[in-house]
Amino acid sequence: MRDTTAVLGYAWPLVVSPGETVRFHLSSPVLERANATVVRVRCADPDPDGPGLKLDVPGTPIDGPVALCEQPIHPGACAIIADAPALSPASLSAGCFIWPTAPRERAQTILSRWRADLAEGWRLGLDESGHLIFHVAGSAGQARVRAAKPVIEREWLFVAISYDAQSGAVALTQRSLDPQGGRDISGTAAGKAPANLSWPKETALVFAAHAKTDGGMPLTEGHYDGKIDRPRLFAAALPEEALRRACETLAPSPADPALIGAWDFSREMDSATIHDLSTNRLDGTLRNMPMRAMTGANWDGSVVQWRERPELYGAIHFHSDDMADCEWEPGLEFIVPSDWRSGFYALRLTEREGSEDPVESYVSFFVRTPLGKARSKLALVASTATYQAYANSALRLDQVHAEAMLEGVIALSRDDAYLQEHRELGLSTYDTHSDGSGWCYSTARRPILNMRPLGNTFNYVNDTHIIDWLEQRGFDYEVITDCDIDRHGAQLLKAYDCVITPTHPEYYSLNMIEAFDAYQRGGGRHIYLGGNGFYWRIAWHPARPHEMEIRRGMSGLRTWEGEAGENGLSFTGEPSGLWRTHGRPPQRLVGVGFDAQVFTRSYPYEWLGDARDPRVGWLVEGVDLDAPLGDFGLRGGGAAGLEVDRVEPSLGTSPHTLRLATADRLDYGGVPTLEELRTLHRGVMGDQNALVRADLAFSPTANGGAVFSTGSIAWACALTCHDYENSVSRVTENVLRRFLDPSPFAGFDV
């Protein structure tokens, strides 16, 4: 077995053009050096029944030994306000609203100006049993008060703390915002500390954690899981009523001489900055990308999108396992040669070759075709949004029903085992944080174990079968990326006569959808060789291109569900969720749309009457229309499987679409998507439901354009069977050659 985790790394930028520099950020806890080789990836799948791992070695100056060291990851989100004179008052009080999500997991810090190495300062937090605590300490002594009742998980609470320097009086108050029955945990705890305590110098004010030292890494510890809304800090020991009024007021009076800071989290949702409304201008910086655009304690359900009333979305949800950037030092870098072909590339790292457990790890990156410099008529779109959405998915271990869904025992890979032990890598947008809430952000500035050769087959590895097939069949093509389509729009696509989207282009932004729509309307030709594409609406961060966002909402096939009112994307303010719920179902774009999963096995298609239409005689040339199409394949033994799409006129499939073939006998393992189920009955599964199927479709579009869709993720992994000589390969090649032929499609009145 190959050791794929002894060395890990990430490339930055993830996508580069010839002439640009790519840097490799590497870490190993066990090796001092490894052999590095840059490779161009033709096939990333080591399956012995397929083409096998195929890598080209172009040769670079960095090929050779590379020194390694361990570079730790420091997860956990917080907000840091740099030390300032105003943060050292003699007396102090603070208040905020909190919504704790894992209050009994461990000790946590909510608000603090505390130095852990000195055990000095002040901090408001939770102890291991979920009780609020307020701790003040200095060289002269300390005091610690504890609330009488523990907080309630996922319930809003007003909290207030104060220290009077003259008397040494310490107070901690909590008030339930929903005091019904036994849920009212309101109360006040009081204590006595030495008078005139001095606070540690050079110590930041931190929300959702506390400082470990005065510098260095990790900077913070004691991370809090939950929301914080409208924190306020004063240079006086104010009574509870005054603190609550200050927190309830959206904009406290800056003229208040005791006001140190009043932070408004509803401003600049897409930024890493939190804004102070006081005259001290104690703006802070968010670390590790906590969840923004969250409903606050004042949200009343009157709106469900934060842009309508931002003041109701003044909370940030912090997680103790948030992770936005490993911040590793680069170990290697090189300038991509100007004559390099675009494509999927990786840095291969090997060691202990010839042993029973050789090291073979990969760090992927992509070389794009520069905008305006296309040299081919054909482009393959790398689905980087989908790769990031699935990055480091732990679903196979975390989902209790995973084996039932797959109808078999899960065989865990080395990567699976590593992720189970190393959640600090950050998980996928399919996973949940340690407090049970969903991951809505994904970053590329970290190792991504399932976006590289030898990784899990879903997505990246499956997509490389298309590359291998294109190479084998001798097609001239270039690689572009979906994140560049988001950035540059339709002009990037218009350089090509034909564009291929691969096995699972599931995650698309508005810019990406509109670019493809404009391309197709303008005569572009689109081959969609996958299933469950164009399904979720996402956003890329406008200034930080390594970050993407998804909100799962309350529809679609999902592994977690967002809280009510929190389906708006913090990056852009757009609603998230399914494109189908926003009037842009996939059928409107590519003729077919996601209808079912079928992980038990894959199936062949049966040809339909439209396949004999003389207008598409070129498509079926050399194919036996009386024989099954794709009764073979590397994923489940057929070409229709994993996730499948169907033609559906009621969802926007063009009336000009020809439904050429279908796989509609998907057995009981064909499970329809949730949005397909208006009512529940015994006949919804694939063995009885004609709407659970994969459709092969051809749709002519305006100005000589066209779309060909396979409606199945498994299709691409049947291309290489029987030494590339098979019906799936033949149909795909027929379509591709015809789509590259600029002559119009005769007989269609579009």
Side-chain angles (χ1 to χ4, degrees):
M1 178 183 290
R2 285 173 273 202
D3 185 343
T4 57
T5 59
V7 187
L8 294 177
Y10 58 96
W12 192 253
L14 179 65
V15 183
V16 289
S17 296
E20 295 180 345
T21 299
V22 59
R23 296 174 176 84
F24 299 99
H25 305 252
L26 308 174
S27 176
S28 176
V30 295
L31 297 176
E32 293 183 355
R33 64 182 57 252
N35 296 311
T37 310
V38 177
V39 298
R40 187 174 189 272
V41 180
R42 171 167 165 168
C43 184
D45 188 355
D47 188 338
D49 294 327
L53 193 64
K54 292 185 178 182
L55 308 170
D56 298 327
V57 181
T60 73
I62 65 170
D63 291 358
V66 57
L68 300 170
C69 65
E70 183 175 10
Q71 301 202 65
I73 300 172
H74 305 293
C78 60
I80 299 173
I81 294 91
D83 186 33
L87 293 176
S88 295
S91 298
L92 66 88
S93 55
C96 64
F97 299 98
I98 65 168
W99 194 74
T101 52
R104 290 170 179 81
E105 294 298 316
R106 58 196 158 69
Q108 303 173 42
T109 298
I110 300 168
L111 306 176
S112 71
R113 190 165 181 262
W114 178 267
R115 279 274 298 278
D117 58 338
L118 302 176
E120 291 184 0
W122 62 267
R123 59 182 288 267
L124 166 67
L126 295 164
D127 65 15
E128 293 85 349
S129 60
H131 290 76
L132 279 171
I133 59 100
F134 178 42
H135 193 183
V136 294
S139 58
Q142 63 175 327
R144 187 176 186 272
V145 293
R146 181 176 185 260
K149 295 181 180 180
V151 300
I152 298 174
E153 184 176 329
R154 296 177 184 269
E155 289 287 336
W156 280 108
L157 192 68
F158 170 69
V159 297
I161 55 174
S162 66
Y163 166 72
D164 188 311
Q166 185 173 358
S167 66
V170 176
L172 165 64
T173 300
Q174 62 182 25
R175 295 293 172 197
S176 300
L177 299 195
D178 187 21
Q180 298 180 12
R183 304 177 72 86
D184 190 355
I185 59 170
S186 301
T188 299
K192 187 82 168 178
N196 299 310
L197 282 175
S198 59
W199 311 118
K201 297 179 180 180
E202 298 180 352
T203 301
L205 175 67
V206 183
F207 302 154
H210 61 257
K212 188 174 183 180
T213 66
D214 64 347
M217 291 294 291
L219 177 68
T220 53
E221 62 182 13
H223 292 90
Y224 163 72
D225 283 295
K227 295 181 185 179
I228 300 175
D229 180 16
R230 284 168 285 165
R232 312 292 191 230
L233 181 62
F234 290 86
L238 299 181
E240 173 196 341
E241 296 79 9
L243 281 171
R244 181 152 184 178
R245 285 196 302 272
C247 291
E248 289 175 340
T249 301
L250 296 175
S253 171
D256 186 340
L259 180 64
I260 296 175
W263 290 271
D264 183 353
F265 296 163
S266 70
R267 301 190 180 202
E268 293 189 29
M269 295 287 197
D270 64 345
S271 77
T273 299
I274 56 168
H275 287 276
D276 173 26
L277 305 182
S278 81
T279 55
N280 291 315
R281 296 295 182 261
L282 297 174
D283 295 346
T285 301
L286 294 172
R287 184 173 182 273
N288 270 333
M289 205 161 55
M291 203 170 180
R292 302 202 70 172
M294 297 284 97
T295 54
N298 58 345
W299 183 72
D300 56 8
S302 61
V303 298
V304 293
Q305 295 294 333
W306 67 265
R307 278 206 183 276
E308 297 178 69
R309 292 187 64 189
E311 69 275 11
L312 302 183
Y313 288 80
I316 293 177
H317 191 154
F318 298 88
H319 302 94
S320 58
D321 55 356
D322 279 326
M323 211 288 291
D325 189 339
C326 284
E327 299 180 337
W328 289 351
E329 293 297 322
L332 287 173
E333 66 177 59
F334 86 109
I335 298 173
V336 178
S338 59
D339 60 348
W340 267 25
R341 296 173 60 195
S342 60
F344 289 42
Y345 285 81
L347 181 72
R348 180 175 61 193
L349 297 149
T350 58
E351 188 55 83
R352 301 197 298 256
E353 296 176 41
S355 69
E356 292 184 2
D357 195 26
V359 172
E360 186 174 356
S361 186
Y362 293 85
V363 178
S364 290
F365 66 104
F366 302 88
V367 175
R368 62 160 77 87
T369 297
L371 182 68
K373 296 184 179 180
R375 291 175 287 187
S376 174
K377 295 181 179 180
L378 173 65
L380 173 67
V381 181
S383 300
T384 63
T386 297
Y387 303 156
Q388 270 190 235
Y390 281 85
N392 296 338
S393 171
L395 278 184
R396 300 200 311 150
L397 287 165
D398 290 358
Q399 278 196 143
V400 295
H401 62 274
E403 289 187 331
M405 182 175 69
L406 299 173
E407 290 284 330
V409 176
I410 292 176
L412 298 179
S413 68
R414 198 159 198 148
D415 289 357
D416 290 324
Y418 188 87
L419 272 177
Q420 186 70 355
E421 295 294 326
H422 295 277
R423 299 297 177 103
E424 71 272 12
L425 284 176
L427 301 184
S428 78
T429 64
Y430 284 80
D431 295 292
T432 53
H433 288 279
S434 57
D435 70 350
S437 58
W439 286 79
C440 74
Y441 303 126
S442 181
T443 174
R445 294 182 70 96
R446 56 173 169 156
I448 299 178
L449 304 189
N450 52 345
M451 189 187 70
R452 57 183 187 157
L454 306 183
N456 187 288
T457 59
F458 220 56
N459 304 326
Y460 178 93
V461 168
N462 282 345
D463 287 353
T464 65
H465 283 271
I466 299 173
I467 294 174
D468 179 60
W469 181 83
L470 288 168
E471 299 273 354
Q472 183 71 23
R473 288 321 220 192
F475 284 101
D476 180 43
Y477 70 97
E478 297 179 340
V479 169
I480 58 177
T481 62
D482 55 2
C483 54
D484 281 334
I485 295 171
D486 177 83
R487 195 167 297 114
H488 299 296
Q491 62 175 328
L492 184 58
L493 297 172
K494 287 176 181 177
Y496 303 97
D497 293 345
C498 180
V499 172
I500 297 173
T501 46
T503 63
H504 198 194
E506 183 177 6
Y507 291 83
Y508 261 62
S509 68
L510 177 62
N511 289 347
M512 292 152 65
I513 287 283
E514 291 189 334
F516 266 93
D517 184 60
Y519 173 71
Q520 292 173 192
R521 292 176 184 272
R525 295 172 180 182
H526 178 190
I527 298 176
Y528 165 37
L529 293 181
N532 188 9
F534 317 98
Y535 187 65
W536 288 106
R537 182 173 185 166
I538 61 106
W540 295 97
H541 194 279
R544 303 191 297 272
H546 58 287
E547 296 174 10
M548 64 151 285
E549 180 182 9
I550 171 72
R551 300 293 175 101
R552 295 291 177 188
M554 298 183 182
S555 64
L557 199 61
R558 60 203 184 278
T559 53
W560 56 268
E561 192 170 277
E563 296 290 331
E566 294 180 352
N567 199 41
L569 295 163
S570 63
F571 289 175
T572 61
E574 303 166 77
S576 189
L578 298 187
W579 275 112
R580 174 172 172 168
T581 63
H582 300 140
R584 304 287 287 265
Q587 287 90 342
R588 293 183 64 86
L589 186 71
V590 292
V592 299
F594 185 36
D595 65 84
Q597 292 180 327
V598 52
F599 292 123
T600 50
R601 55 161 294 195
S602 296
Y603 297 81
Y605 297 79
E606 299 293 333
W607 290 106
L608 301 174
D610 281 354
R612 291 175 166 81
D613 190 313
R615 294 176 296 176
V616 289
W618 48 268
L619 190 150
V620 297
E621 184 179 349
V623 179
D624 184 356
L625 296 183
D626 295 319
L629 169 64
D631 54 350
F632 49 83
L634 296 178
R635 303 290 179 260
L642 300 180
E643 293 180 338
V644 297
D645 301 0
R646 76 165 188 272
V647 165
E648 183 52 69
S650 68
L651 290 173
T653 299
S654 165
H656 303 288
T657 297
L658 297 180
R659 185 170 163 239
L660 306 167
T662 191
D664 61 355
R665 296 184 176 91
L666 302 187
D667 213 344
Y668 70 92
V671 183
T673 63
L674 297 177
E675 64 271 18
E676 293 288 316
L677 299 176
R678 293 180 176 86
T679 60
L680 292 176
H681 54 85
R682 294 180 182 272
V684 299
M685 309 303 272
D687 54 346
Q688 299 181 62
N689 186 352
L691 297 181
V692 173
R693 65 176 193 260
D695 284 340
L696 197 74
F698 169 77
S699 305
T701 61
N703 299 303
V707 179
F708 173 75
S709 300
T710 64
S712 164
I713 289 177
W715 176 276
C717 296
L719 287 170
T720 62
C721 292
H722 308 306
D723 198 26
Y724 307 86
E725 297 294 338
N726 61 71
S727 55
V728 169
S729 176
R730 182 60 186 264
V731 168
T732 307
E733 185 166 356
N734 286 346
V735 172
L736 182 50
R737 293 197 183 280
R738 181 63 184 85
F739 275 32
L740 290 171
D741 177 353
S743 60
F745 296 100
F748 293 98
D749 183 18
V750 180

